Amino acid sequence: MPTTRRQFLSFAGGVTVAGTIPIVTLRPVEATPAMLTTAIRNVVGEGPIRTGKVKLNIPPLVENGNTVPMTVSVASPMTADDYVKSIHVFNEKNPQPNIGNFYLNPSSGRAQISTRIRLADTQKVVAIARLSDDSFWQVTADIVVTLAACTEEVN
Amino acid sequence: MAALINVPAKAKRGDIIEIRTLTSHIMETGFRRTMDGALVPRDIITSFTCRYNGTEIFRADLFPAIAANPYLSFFTVAKESGKLEFEWIGDNGYSSTASASITVE
C-alpha cells in the first residue's frame, strides 16, 4: 500500500516525539467512564437521572471525528410551568468529558439545539436535560469514529 | 470576526423560529502537540449568548469538544419586531458580536 503524505507525517512526528520525551506523555489522558460520571454528577448533583424524553440525533458511524453534527431535542410543551431549563452533553473518551451546556427558557418554544462536535474515539455520548421541575432525563448514543479528533498532531 | 447568522426576516407573532449561527474560530483544543512535542495552548470560545431586544433567550457554555467554527442552532418564539444580538466570548480575551433584525406581524 503506498504511503500517503498524512501517514508519513504522522509517523515521522511520532518518531520525533518519542525520541525527545518519555513515552508516558505521548498521549494526553483520556477521560475515563469515572470522569464522565464525575462530570455528570457535577451538573446533576446526587439526584436520580431517568431515561427518556431526550432524543439525541447523531450519526452512528462517523468517518471524521473533527466535525460531527449533533441535534438534541427534548419532548416538552415549553410552557411557563413545564419547560426545559438546560441541556448538557457529555462524552466518554475525549480528553475532557464535557461537550456543551445549553440554557433554554419557556420562550424558546421548542427544546431543540444543534451543533457540531469533536469525538476523539469510538465512544458513548450522553445528553441530559434538566426540566423546570428539576428532574433530569438522559439518553445515550454509541458512535463509531474512524478518524479521531482533538489529539492529532499539528502539521 | 466573520459570523453567519440565519434568522427569518419576517415572522407571524407567536411563531416558533429557528436561529442558526456560525462563527469563524479555530477552537484549538489545548490537547494537540506540534511535531516537536510542544503542547499547543488552548484557544476556544467558551460562551455564547443570544439576546432578543435585550432579553437573554439562549446561552451556551462551549468546551474543546465543540468543532472549529462553532455552529449553533436553537429556537425562539417570535414575540415582537426588533433586534437579535449574538455574542461569543473566549480565551485570550476573545469577544465577537453580531446582530440581526426581525419583523413580527
Side-chain angles (χ1 to χ4, degrees), chain A residues 9 12-13 16-17 20-21 25-26 28 66-67 91 94-96 98-110 112-118 150-155, chain B residues 16-18 22 26-29 31-37 39-40 42 44 56-77 79:
Chain A
L9 285 176
T16 321
V17 172
T20 48
I21 48 171
T25 59
L26 250 180
N66 276 307
T67 171
N91 69 77
N94 282 8
Q96 197 183 22
N98 298 79
I99 291 179
N101 303 323
F102 308 93
Y103 302 91
L104 313 178
N105 55 59
S107 71
S108 296
R110 185 180 301 168
Q112 179 178 324
I113 59 106
S114 304
T115 187
R116 296 179 189 138
I117 67 169
R118 290 178 168 134
C150 302
T151 52
E152 81 277 27
E153 280 161 1
V154 184
N155 288 318
Chain B
I16 297 170
I17 54 166
E18 182 176 22
L22 181 74
I26 182 171
M27 293 295 278
E28 183 60 58
T29 61
F31 297 107
R32 301 198 305 160
R33 287 175 188 280
T34 58
M35 282 195 358
D36 51 9
L39 204 59
V40 181
R42 191 183 92 159
I44 66 165
E56 181 183 300
I57 55 162
F58 179 80
R59 184 164 56 90
D61 302 329
L62 308 184
F63 293 88
I66 299 290
N69 303 324
Y71 166 79
L72 280 167
S73 118
F74 50 95
F75 291 83
T76 194
V77 176
K79 285 182 174 157

Side-chain angles (χ1 to χ4, degrees), chain A residues 40-53:
Chain A
I40 290 175
R41 285 300 161 196
N42 279 343
V43 169
V44 175
E46 290 309 307
I49 308 171
R50 282 174 277 182
T51 303
K53 288 197 191 237

